[in-house]
Amino acid sequence: MNIGDPFIFGAYHYDLYPEGNGKFGPKASLEGHNLGNDFDNNLPWRMYHGRSIPGFPFHPHRGFEIITIVEEGYADHFDSKGSKGRYGEGDVQLMSAGSGVLHGEMFPLIHEDKPNHLRLFQIWMNLPAASKMTEPQYKMLWHEQIPIAKPTGDVRIKVILGEYEGVKSLGSYPTLGLKTLIIV
């Protein structure tokens, strides 16, 4: 049986956030930002749906999985199942919404003395019909533990899921439709 392409959506956020204000928001003026719906790519940084801290407050997900890779900066995750935590600087989050979960991800501007740049990738994958009502799951892969393949010269490949040239990932993720994911 061919279930088709499970890929739903991919997102890339690169924001040149300024210094923080001590409350995880920007020290800079919010003038020109459409708070609650700030997606203007002409600006160097966006608040997205955040009003004082950039990010995406509580919103629902169901029936798909999200892989979030924060290469630069930080994200704060919290959800209706009680999972929460801060990750970034190369960490990866695997989240299965399964039967449904409310979750939020905010981008705290933790540095008050230097810029808080954010570089984040997300991949959304549709769950197979048989897995859509599974219990939501959340798993962190901390950057210090992610296996690295070094095929040639200065090339470094993070093995998030699966295997690449004999380097195996930390394990599998039970419902994820994606079997192999590597990041160069």
Side-chain angles (χ1 to χ4, degrees):
M1 177 174 104
N2 182 357
I3 63 167
D5 184 355
F7 178 76
I8 297 176
F9 176 76
Y12 173 66
H13 297 282
Y14 182 55
D15 287 285
L16 302 174
Y17 289 117
E19 294 86 2
N21 63 9
K23 298 178 183 175
F24 302 118
K27 190 182 289 183
S29 168
L30 294 175
E31 187 175 335
H33 290 268
N34 182 14
L35 294 184
N37 194 26
D38 183 13
F39 292 88
D40 185 347
N41 286 327
N42 294 315
L43 296 173
W45 51 273
R46 287 148 290 284
M47 292 294 289
Y48 301 106
H49 292 296
R51 295 187 177 277
S52 57
I53 301 171
F56 300 89
F58 258 150
H59 56 282
H61 285 309
R62 181 175 176 199
F64 61 97
E65 296 181 308
I66 304 104
I67 301 160
T68 304
I69 302 157
V70 180
E71 281 297 317
E72 184 178 4
Y74 295 92
D76 283 349
H77 167 92
F78 47 95
D79 65 39
S80 57
K81 301 294 288 180
S83 299
K84 60 186 173 187
R86 176 169 292 158
Y87 64 104
E89 299 299 316
D91 299 329
V92 176
Q93 178 194 75
L94 305 173
M95 186 180 88
S96 174
S99 60
V101 66
L102 288 172
H103 100 117
E105 54 205 345
M106 305 303 287
F107 311 132
L109 307 183
I110 62 175
H111 302 294
E112 297 175 38
D113 59 344
K114 65 180 184 177
N116 289 274
H117 296 172
L118 175 75
R119 185 181 309 269
L120 177 147
F121 303 88
Q122 279 192 329
I123 302 168
W124 293 16
M125 304 293 293
N126 196 17
L127 283 168
S131 300
K132 284 200 178 280
M133 296 305 287
T134 59
E135 186 69 20
Q137 299 176 44
Y138 169 83
K139 181 177 182 178
M140 286 304 309
L141 304 176
W142 304 109
H143 70 274
E144 302 93 343
Q145 299 167 338
I146 296 172
I148 303 290
K150 298 175 185 173
T152 61
D154 293 336
V155 175
R156 295 170 34 95
I157 297 175
K158 288 185 180 185
V159 183
I160 308 296
L161 294 168
E163 180 178 345
Y164 181 78
E165 292 192 358
V167 178
K168 295 181 182 182
S169 65
L170 295 172
S172 63
Y173 195 63
T175 57
L176 195 65
L178 193 63
K179 300 299 179 207
T180 302
L181 176 63
I182 59 172
I183 305 296
V184 177

